[in-house]
Amino acid sequence: MKCRADLTTMRTSLVRALSFSAALALVLNPALTPVVAADYRPVAPAAADGQMNARFLSLGVGKSIVIDLPRDIKDVLVADPKIANAVVRSAQRAYIIGASVGQTNIVFFDSAGQQIAAYDIAVKRDLNGVRAALKQVLPNSDIQIDGLGEGVVLTGSVASPMEAQQANELAARLAGGADKVVNSIVVRGRDQVMLKVTVAEVQRNIVKQLGIDLSANLNYGTSVVSFTNSNPFTALGRNLVDGNNLTTKFGTSVQATLRAMETAGVIRTLAEPNLTAISGESATFIAGGEFPVPAGYACDPTTHVCTTQISFKKFGISLNFTPVVLTEGKISLRVMTEVSELSNENSITLSQAVTSTSVNSLTVPSIRTRRAETSLEIPSGGAMAMAGLIQQQTKQAVSGLPGLMQLPVLGTLFRSRDFVNNATELVVIVTPYVVRATAPKDLSRPDDGFAAPADPQAELIGNINRIYGVPGRTEPARNYRGTYGFITD
């Protein structure tokens, strides 16, 4: 019995000690006090302006989003209801609706005035329709579209400039104008296009001139009758037969001069300018010069001395083109090519009297020009006749003494015949290539193998260059097999 009583006493003492320890711990450590759900207050990190860190939220105009909050909502602060508005439908759920383009913020509070959540709202133009249209039209492109105030910004990358242009036009149409679109699309691996232009022309001209001039002095008693028949050549505009005359006299009073000339000429013109440019960029090639042309006179009012003013006119070979590589493998070209040269046809001669006995003359030539400008689409490596011309001009004139020139046989003595026939055939061919860079050793230059001659070679033999190249240099054997030429993609 005594042992049982001792055990009971020890158990009672232990319970009292544990109770005292627990009470002491609760008094000394308030953090161990039980938390009531109604008193729950989340501690948010303080922002620089004293407000809870706000969450960024992007909405489209006329779009909405549902917000679920951890505690009951008592009050809502909307900075600008014209941009976005908040509708509370239940104690812990709210709807945020975008009204117009702009930025604002919305803050939710509980019954104790504590901030529950804050949102920075950016209301932008609804671009889901534009995104769907871009994805449908350009499925292989990587284009992102974002709102920027009343406009949009296009970013990402495309395979060709044509796709970038299509995306810009589509966004401009849906956004309300091209001025509302900022195009920052990057073209992946822009192609380089080399354009080869061939301008070939052949001119043929034939001129025939035949005429007879008669002159006679007839004496009838005391009367003298002089007869002169000189017939000009009017078809060509000038006389080519001067110095090619045959004169015959009949007796002492009649003289006949036969003037005859026939000329035939051929002119061949060939120009092949080549130019390379990046797809979407323009390039210009010019090879030619300028010649002086009098532009008037400038007189000094003090000395009364006049000087001739000179201006310069350009001539030569020019090429300007803008290529755009299309997605279908074709190349869109905007080409302007011109070949011009000096010509004595239609030239003018200006004369100025220096003294009473001397005259200075100046001949101003004309410019003969062949120019073509157009837009076309050609596949890489394909050729197209960009322009062509076939022109044939025939002139014939007969001049003589009226009445006598119509006689069947004798009329030839009283007339001259001038015949001119000009024929021209011109063609302009363009060939574009999509090209890439190559090693310098694989390129040839016009001066490869050229070397100036030594003095003995120039003086004794008359060589103007050594055609075998630099001494000691071994030219590699060039045995071409298979396909060679331009490097194309």
Side-chain angles (χ1 to χ4, degrees):
M1 294 296 293
K2 185 177 181 180
C3 292
R4 183 177 295 178
D6 293 337
L7 182 59
T8 302
T9 302
M10 293 175 62
R11 187 178 295 173
T12 302
S13 301
L14 181 59
V15 171
R16 288 178 179 178
L18 293 175
S19 300
F20 178 78
S21 300
L24 181 61
L26 291 175
V27 173
L28 297 178
N29 191 0
L32 297 179
T33 305
V35 178
V36 181
D39 296 332
Y40 173 76
R41 301 288 186 271
V43 180
D49 55 358
Q51 177 183 308
M52 174 190 287
N53 289 336
R55 176 185 174 187
F56 178 78
L57 187 62
S58 179
L59 285 177
V61 177
K63 300 294 183 178
S64 62
I65 190 172
V66 179
I67 302 297
D68 291 324
L69 300 173
R71 299 193 303 276
D72 294 346
I73 304 171
K74 181 62 178 179
D75 194 10
V76 180
L77 173 62
V78 180
D80 191 350
K82 295 181 181 179
I83 296 177
N85 200 1
V87 179
V88 179
R89 303 300 298 175
S90 63
Q92 296 183 1
R93 173 169 290 185
Y95 303 153
I96 298 179
I97 304 172
S100 62
V101 177
Q103 293 185 354
T104 185
N105 65 331
I106 299 177
V107 185
F108 296 93
F109 301 93
D110 59 9
S111 57
Q114 297 293 326
Q115 179 176 310
I116 303 175
Y119 293 91
D120 284 335
I121 309 297
V123 181
K124 304 178 181 179
R125 183 188 300 270
D126 185 17
L127 302 176
N128 290 332
V130 184
R131 292 189 182 96
L134 289 174
K135 191 64 178 177
Q136 181 179 4
V137 175
L138 304 171
N140 298 325
S141 61
D142 182 18
I143 301 176
Q144 292 81 35
I145 181 169
D146 296 312
L148 180 63
E150 294 292 336
V152 296
V153 179
L154 296 176
T155 57
S157 60
V158 293
S160 65
M162 181 58 66
E163 293 186 357
Q165 182 179 359
Q166 290 178 354
N168 186 82
E169 293 177 354
L170 181 60
R173 183 178 296 273
L174 298 179
D179 57 336
K180 296 183 178 181
V181 178
V182 179
N183 193 347
S184 299
I185 298 177
V186 178
V187 179
R188 300 188 300 266
R190 302 178 69 180
D191 296 315
Q192 298 184 90
V193 178
M194 187 195 74
L195 182 65
K196 177 182 178 182
V197 179
T198 301
V199 180
E201 180 184 20
V202 175
Q203 271 189 300
R204 295 174 293 271
N205 58 81
I206 298 175
V207 179
K208 296 180 180 180
Q209 293 181 343
L210 177 64
I212 298 177
D213 297 337
L214 294 177
S215 62
N217 294 321
L218 302 178
N219 298 324
Y220 294 98
T222 60
S223 300
V224 178
V225 178
S226 297
F227 174 79
T228 301
N229 181 28
S230 179
N231 303 313
F233 298 103
T234 59
L236 184 62
R238 64 182 187 272
N239 187 6
L240 296 179
V241 299
D242 290 340
N244 192 22
N245 301 331
L246 178 61
T247 302
T248 303
K249 291 185 178 181
F250 300 94
T252 58
S253 59
V254 180
Q255 178 176 323
T257 302
L258 175 65
R259 297 181 300 163
M261 176 65 74
E262 179 176 353
T263 63
V266 175
I267 301 176
R268 177 178 181 265
T269 303
L270 178 64
E272 290 186 338
N274 296 340
L275 192 59
T276 302
I278 298 176
S279 176
E281 301 293 337
S282 299
T284 302
F285 171 84
I286 298 177
E290 298 180 350
F291 69 96
V293 175
Y297 298 96
C299 297
D300 190 347
T302 304
T303 60
H304 302 286
V305 176
C306 297
T307 58
T308 304
Q309 302 296 313
I310 301 297
S311 64
F312 291 87
K313 301 295 182 180
K314 296 181 179 180
F315 69 96
I317 301 171
S318 66
L319 171 63
N320 180 279
F321 84 110
T322 303
V324 176
V325 180
L326 306 179
T327 55
E328 297 84 2
K330 294 183 178 180
I331 301 174
S332 176
L333 295 174
R334 179 70 182 176
V335 187
M336 194 286 291
T337 182
E338 176 181 318
V339 177
S340 59
E341 60 187 358
L342 300 180
S343 175
N344 291 325
E345 296 181 1
N346 302 321
S347 61
I348 60 175
T349 301
L350 303 177
S351 300
Q352 181 181 8
V354 179
T355 62
S356 58
T357 59
S358 63
V359 177
N360 287 341
S361 61
L362 174 65
T363 301
V364 180
S366 63
I367 300 179
R368 185 169 172 270
T369 304
R370 283 82 77 200
R371 181 186 300 114
E373 182 176 0
T374 186
S375 298
L376 60 161
E377 292 184 2
I378 314 176
S380 177
M384 182 175 292
M386 171 180 159
L389 172 66
I390 296 178
Q391 180 181 1
Q392 187 169 6
Q393 185 182 56
T394 302
K395 295 181 182 180
Q396 186 169 197
V398 177
S399 302
L401 184 66
L404 296 178
M405 62 179 291
Q406 279 84 21
L407 295 176
V409 178
L410 297 178
T412 308
L413 301 176
F414 301 94
R415 67 173 178 258
S416 64
R417 175 175 176 266
D418 193 7
F419 175 80
V420 179
N421 184 17
N422 294 326
T424 301
E425 185 173 354
L426 170 70
V427 64
V428 180
I429 302 174
V430 293
T431 306
Y433 298 91
V434 177
V435 297
R436 64 177 186 269
T438 184
K441 63 181 180 62
D442 296 332
L443 299 177
S444 61
R445 306 184 321 190
D447 61 340
D448 286 345
F450 177 85
D455 291 340
Q457 290 177 315
E459 297 296 338
L460 301 178
I461 307 178
N463 290 345
I464 59 176
N465 69 289
R466 288 180 290 178
I467 62 176
Y468 299 106
V470 180
R473 175 179 174 183
T474 303
E475 295 290 339
R478 297 185 179 183
N479 185 14
Y480 296 105
R481 296 181 180 273
T483 304
Y484 63 91
F486 296 100
I487 302 176
T488 61
D489 290 340

